[in-house]
Amino acid sequence: MRRIMVAGNWKMHGTRASVAELTKGLRHLVLPSGVDVAVFPPFLYVNQVIDGLDGTSIAVGAQNSAAEASQGALTGEIAPSQLADAGCTFVLIGHSERRQIMGEQDELLNRKFAAAQACGLTPVLCVGETLVQRDAGKTLEVVGRQLSSIIEALGVGAFVNAVIAYEPVWAIGTGLTASPQQAQEVHAAIRAQLAAENAEVAQGVRLLYGGSVKAANAAELFGMPDIDGGLIGGASLNADEFGAICRAAGN
Ligand code: 13P
């Protein structure tokens, strides 16, 4: 049985004061026992959040990491070994904002994914199509290519210890959510693509949906057979709203 996961991607939000307040709010949440919960603060606040959530069941991840596993001469980057040393357990790989705005390409993301796993982190591979690609009927092709890049480089076994997040770019931060049926269609295709390589890996991997998830629409999305939780942006910046999403996942 796959455990449901709810993850909060804080993106480039927060100050020391607001992070302290959000962390305090998270500490006070009563979370359902069947749900794995994680938050992804900006690098600068990772230590603060790890300290602030000490003793809770909430895991902490980073939003990005270097393509090199070990520390070294790479100005401005953060090695996955350093994230592991800080106490992170997850890292986002290939969020669409990094693919689109920072120009990260599949080949680089393959290396980041492998480096993260080499350090014991669980990568959360983000995939998704733009509105232009969806309107052109290319959704499954685009997502399939993003997934096959990792499979070809690292083998399907790389997904034994990984999470996949389907985040349609047109649904991120727009208030436009994919319908549960639209999301399920893509999640089923992702699982089928993995199953064609290895059925056991496909059955075990958690597929999260991301894109304007809030407490009001979470239960319906999480009720779909191939949706194993969510990657939450804006709504994860409010502890009560995030807690409500976690509870929706627990039902
Ligand atoms: P929103 O929930 O703000 O749409 O963001 C989704 C996202 O990009 C999470 O990684």
Side-chain angles (χ1 to χ4, degrees), residues 96-97 99-101 127-143 145-146 166-172 176:
S96 65
E97 286 149 16
R99 290 180 190 263
Q100 297 214 304
I101 303 168
V127 298
E129 82 289 1
T130 63
L131 189 55
V132 171
Q133 290 165 332
R134 173 162 283 266
D135 287 346
K138 293 199 167 6
T139 298
L140 299 185
E141 182 188 322
V142 169
V143 170
R145 209 183 316 120
Q146 291 168 338
Y166 168 57
E167 301 203 300
V169 177
W170 49 272
I172 294 177
L176 291 173

Side-chain angles (χ1 to χ4, degrees), residues 106-220:
D106 286 335
E107 193 275 331
L108 176 71
L109 298 174
N110 295 344
R111 291 173 50 217
K112 290 190 175 200
F113 188 109
Q117 280 191 331
C119 299
L121 298 176
T122 299
V124 179
L125 178 73
C126 303
V127 298
E129 82 289 1
T130 63
L131 189 55
V132 171
Q133 290 165 332
R134 173 162 283 266
D135 287 346
K138 293 199 167 6
T139 298
L140 299 185
E141 182 188 322
V142 169
V143 170
R145 209 183 316 120
Q146 291 168 338
L147 191 60
S148 65
S149 167
I150 299 283
I151 298 174
E152 282 164 24
L154 307 174
V156 71
F159 287 101
V160 169
N161 184 26
V163 175
I164 298 171
Y166 168 57
E167 301 203 300
V169 177
W170 49 272
I172 294 177
T174 57
L176 291 173
T177 316
S179 69
Q181 292 72 22
Q182 281 175 320
Q184 167 60 25
E185 183 195 12
V186 179
H187 283 229
I190 291 171
R191 210 179 296 286
Q193 186 176 348
L194 294 169
E197 306 281 332
N198 184 315
E200 204 178 326
V201 172
Q203 275 314 307
V205 71
R206 291 186 285 190
L207 308 182
L208 313 185
Y209 168 78
S212 299
V213 177
K214 36 192 181 293
N217 60 21
E220 218 189 346

